[in-house]
Amino acid sequence: MARQARAIQTRKSILLAAAEVFDERGYSTATITEIIARAGVTKGALYFHFTSKEDLALGVIAAQLELGPLPPQRTKLQELTDQGLLFAHQLQHDPLTRASVGLAMDQWSESAESAESGNPFHGRPFQSWADRLTGLLVEARGRGELLPHVDPAETAELLSGSFTGIQWTSQVLCQRKDLTRRVISMFRHLLPTIAMPQILPTLELTPDRAVSLLASRDAALEGEDAPADEEYDAAAEDGPAPEDGPASEDGPASEDGPASEDGTAWEPDTAPTPVRAGSAAPEGEDSAA
């Protein structure tokens, strides 16, 4: 189990290093050599976990999208706004999220001759987020939370597009320091056009909402045992990389194993008490899934 834990930690270190390099340099100019140096691992360790730079980028995107389960809420629209506030928080504090967004916005190479060095992930994380929002809006419509005219897919595209523009503006102007405020303002302007009036006063849109959600999630997961991850074979990790390993700018993997580890809530004139993270739904109402 100790060797398995080391393998998992090595993979996390590689992903974090890759995220930082992608965030700083972009996908096309980032190199495996730089990522290996940043992670402090050997070439063999990296190629045990990831077959190429593209595989690394996919790993960064997947890690960013796997935020884990959030506490269920009374309404699906609260869960939707929670997604936006959490995304904003992660962009401010998590290099994996910043790298994922960078991969989404990094343009393809315009030159046909250099097309192979272009970015095959352009737009992918934002599309994944739009799909997630569409699912929440479909559920919200089924629970009677949306106005009759609302089309879930169309609204999800509007929300994700608005968020994209807002986060980019915030990045250019102040390194995303005011992103949470901007996202709250976005929701305050857009939600009245899609939500049933009685839902609006129940929605909590506060600057510390994301921190509260993460604390609630971490507390719920703290007592759970981490499942054994059979995907990692520690013995194989310490062994040599395949002789016909993947091609990259660095050439085939070496036979070395991994390096040793030494705002405010919505406030109408008569607003009922907002639903807080972890609050139970009143009797007779279904809790959010």
Side-chain angles (χ1 to χ4, degrees):
M1 291 299 294
R3 292 165 68 86
Q4 184 181 80
R6 188 182 69 178
I8 294 172
Q9 184 57 50
T10 298
R11 186 177 190 276
K12 290 180 179 178
S13 298
I14 295 169
L15 279 175
L16 181 59
E20 292 173 350
V21 174
F22 289 146
D23 185 38
E24 295 167 9
R25 299 177 58 79
Y27 176 79
S28 298
T29 57
T31 66
I32 291 291
T33 299
E34 187 173 3
I35 292 169
I36 288 171
R38 185 76 61 96
V41 300
T42 65
K43 190 180 295 185
L46 184 143
Y47 281 120
F48 171 77
H49 292 284
F50 302 98
T51 61
S52 63
K53 187 171 76 170
E54 179 176 339
D55 193 28
L56 259 174
L58 287 171
V60 168
I61 292 172
Q64 183 270 315
L65 293 174
E66 293 171 3
L67 295 174
L70 292 176
Q73 303 299 319
R74 179 179 179 180
T75 65
K76 288 298 173 182
L77 284 182
Q78 181 66 70
E79 294 184 15
L80 180 143
T81 59
D82 287 349
Q83 291 281 343
L85 292 171
L86 183 59
F87 199 2
H89 176 82
Q90 296 293 87
L91 276 170
Q92 292 171 311
H93 301 285
D94 177 35
L96 283 169
T97 303
R98 289 195 297 272
S100 181
V101 168
L103 290 168
M105 300 185 73
D106 191 13
Q107 297 292 331
W108 282 88
S109 172
E110 295 181 1
S111 169
E113 296 179 357
S114 60
E116 292 184 359
S117 65
N119 175 10
F121 316 101
H122 182 58
R124 184 177 299 187
F126 284 116
Q127 184 59 54
S128 296
W129 195 48
D131 292 343
R132 185 179 299 178
L133 294 181
T134 299
L136 286 170
L137 287 165
V138 167
E139 293 185 73
R141 182 178 61 183
R143 294 163 65 104
E145 299 176 21
L146 302 183
L147 294 169
H149 71 274
V150 175
D151 178 270
E154 185 179 77
T155 302
E157 289 179 355
L158 175 63
L159 285 169
S160 61
S162 299
F163 186 97
T164 301
I166 286 171
Q167 70 84 23
W168 182 248
T169 300
S170 180
Q171 164 66 12
V172 171
L173 294 179
C174 60
Q175 297 295 303
R176 298 193 178 101
K177 293 178 181 178
D178 66 351
L179 181 55
T180 296
R181 177 188 65 78
R182 290 175 182 271
V183 170
I184 290 173
S185 178
M186 176 192 73
F187 280 129
R188 288 188 182 281
H189 282 81
L190 293 182
L191 285 171
T193 69
I194 67 170
M196 295 293 287
Q198 64 269 28
I199 299 295
L200 294 175
T202 72
L203 300 177
E204 184 178 351
L205 295 168
T206 56
D208 60 349
R209 174 74 178 169
V211 174
S212 176
L213 288 168
L214 290 173
S216 298
R217 184 193 67 183
D218 293 344
L221 295 175
E222 193 173 283
E224 297 182 4
D225 293 329
D229 192 343
E230 297 179 357
E231 178 183 354
Y232 301 117
D233 182 346
E237 182 185 9
D238 289 324
E243 294 182 359
D244 56 348
S248 73
E249 75 265 34
D250 299 300
S254 73
E255 294 187 356
D256 294 330
S260 59
E261 293 184 346
D262 299 339
T264 57
W266 198 291
E267 296 178 352
D269 293 337
T270 56
T273 303
V275 178
R276 302 284 174 175
S279 298
E283 287 188 29
E285 296 192 21
D286 295 332
S287 60

